[in-house]
Amino acid sequence: ESKGGSREAQACPASVKIPVLPAPRAPGPSFSVLLLLACVGPAWCFAGRAQSSCLLSGSLGTRTAASSAALRGRGDVCTYLRGGGDGGMGVRKTLVTFDIDGTICVQGDGGKQEKMMHTLAFNHAFNKVFGVDADIGEVSHAGSTDQLILLHVLLERGFPKEDVVKKMDELKAAMIEYAQANSESAGEGLRLLPGVKETLEELSGRDDVLLGLVTGNLEPIAWLKMKALGIHQYFSVPEFGGFGSDYSSFDPSKRAEDRAQLVKIAAERAGGLFKDVEIGQRYHIGDAPADVAAAEAGGATAVGVLTGNFKEQDLRPFIKGSNSVILKDLSDAAEMRKAFGLS
């Protein structure tokens, strides 16, 4: 459901009395038909889009309020028919998560890093917490996380690791403080990559897919970017993902290992938020070797894209799973659906 639509779903009445009919002499309506008749009354199932009923939770209808935020009620007829509740397994959905930088967006038109809100947030944190005018361009950071980048830069500047780790919460808070104060510039210097908006729009319209993020960005900064790029509404509600603010090994050499933890965290969060959903296949899309390695180490199928700073030969050694693939970009809808195992 887009941000502008209703996200609330009303469960069907917890108890629906179905009349006991005498045994018919000729074949009569099945029990499922009777349940259907009891369940499709006006406004019983959804307060969202009127074009859907509680039965259309598979891959048939457009997204509804219930597909954005799975019904929490248990034991009601609609939940039973949809495969959720105490009557059986939850609705099975494919989990798809996206990296951001180099996958969803890149710096556009030759824009310089220092003009980007995210980069300026790093500068602000370095200065506020450690009193240094440092920049992330001082270290190699492709595929890293914000916490590892903060640590790496300050280690290069000669600060003891224990001091940086001790003040990591202050550094993160300073970055978020700057980003929120300058949210209007979150999209400056960024442009969407080919096929990204169309892919997100198509996937968000399916009832058999959950969409989230797995990124090294701190969570508030990640969502600010999505809003600034005009694609925030395509992600599942409630929002979920694995973010650079969630975990750190505090070892700059362990980029893939840290990201693998974020892949796992995203799946755990989705399972906790969407109670009546059974998580099926999991896919993670990223442009860096650390992304594809993390996807597989985190239990997902890797979908590498050649939209960042890396070529196919850079990603190929990290592709181990038989279903993992490398795509030029996401502009080919049929190729995208095949990569995600969708019809």
Side-chain angles (χ1 to χ4, degrees):
E1 181 74 6
S2 69
K3 290 290 176 185
S6 169
R7 295 192 190 94
E8 296 183 1
Q10 293 178 339
C12 298
S15 60
V16 175
K17 294 186 178 180
I18 300 173
V20 178
L21 301 178
R25 292 177 217 168
S30 68
F31 182 65
S32 295
V33 172
L34 292 174
L35 286 177
L36 171 62
L37 293 174
C39 197
V40 296
W44 277 18
C45 296
F46 302 129
R49 294 180 180 173
Q51 75 252 34
S52 300
S53 76
C54 60
L55 302 179
L56 297 179
S57 63
S59 59
L60 300 179
T62 56
R63 171 183 273 191
T64 64
S67 68
S68 292
L71 287 173
R72 297 296 192 263
R74 290 184 176 270
D76 60 85
V77 176
C78 288
T79 303
Y80 175 82
L81 282 174
R82 297 177 67 222
D86 295 329
M89 296 291 286
V91 179
R92 190 175 180 85
K93 299 197 178 190
T94 297
L95 180 64
V96 180
T97 56
F98 283 77
D99 171 51
I100 295 179
D101 301 302
T103 301
I104 285 179
C105 61
V106 292
Q107 297 174 64
D109 303 322
K112 297 181 180 180
Q113 281 189 332
E114 59 264 31
K115 294 181 180 179
M116 295 170 58
M117 178 273 287
H118 193 179
T119 302
L120 291 171
F122 277 104
N123 298 348
H124 174 76
F126 293 136
N127 189 278
K128 181 174 181 178
V129 181
F130 282 89
V132 293
D133 292 323
D135 186 85
I136 63 173
E138 298 173 21
V139 299
S140 171
H141 57 269
S144 193
T145 69
D146 283 6
Q147 292 197 71
L148 291 181
I149 295 169
L150 287 164
L151 175 63
H152 196 177
V153 171
L154 290 168
L155 289 178
E156 289 296 311
R157 286 298 189 103
F159 291 95
K161 181 177 180 178
E162 56 270 25
D163 290 351
V164 179
V165 172
K166 184 178 179 179
K167 294 187 176 184
M168 186 58 71
D169 285 345
E170 293 179 53
L171 288 163
K172 290 188 291 182
M175 285 187 66
I176 293 168
E177 169 190 70
Y178 182 90
Q180 291 176 338
N182 295 274
S183 59
E184 73 285 350
S185 63
E188 288 184 10
L190 299 178
R191 65 176 173 86
L192 284 173
L193 284 160
V196 168
K197 183 175 181 179
E198 293 79 8
T199 295
L200 290 172
E201 186 173 18
E202 177 175 335
L203 294 178
S204 72
R206 299 179 63 111
D207 285 335
D208 56 352
V209 172
L210 292 175
L211 279 177
L213 292 172
V214 169
T215 172
N217 292 193
L218 303 182
E219 182 172 4
I221 294 177
W223 292 121
L224 282 175
K225 286 183 178 180
M226 298 304 95
K227 291 173 183 176
L229 289 166
I231 56 174
H232 181 245
Q233 70 272 19
Y234 298 126
F235 292 91
S236 296
V237 178
E239 299 165 347
F240 73 93
F243 302 91
S245 40
D246 292 329
Y247 172 85
S248 183
S249 64
F250 299 117
D251 183 343
S253 70
K254 294 186 176 180
R255 301 175 186 184
E257 291 87 342
D258 277 30
R259 281 183 173 268
Q261 294 301 316
L262 305 186
V263 172
K264 294 176 183 178
I265 288 170
E268 290 168 1
R269 281 187 174 147
L273 289 169
F274 300 91
K275 297 293 186 182
D276 291 316
V277 170
E278 176 192 357
I279 304 298
Q281 293 296 315
R282 293 160 50 203
Y283 296 86
H284 177 58
I285 305 93
D287 69 293
D291 292 318
V292 296
E296 296 190 354
T301 297
V303 179
V305 287
L306 305 178
T307 49
N309 296 320
F310 299 95
K311 298 180 180 179
E312 182 171 356
Q313 57 264 36
D314 299 318
L315 302 186
R316 184 63 62 186
F318 299 92
I319 296 287
K320 307 296 183 183
S322 58
N323 293 322
S324 294
V325 297
I326 297 175
L327 306 178
K328 177 184 176 182
D329 55 34
L330 294 175
S331 60
D332 187 324
E335 188 179 52
M336 174 273 294
R337 285 191 291 270
K338 182 179 179 181
F340 297 148
L342 302 171
S343 56

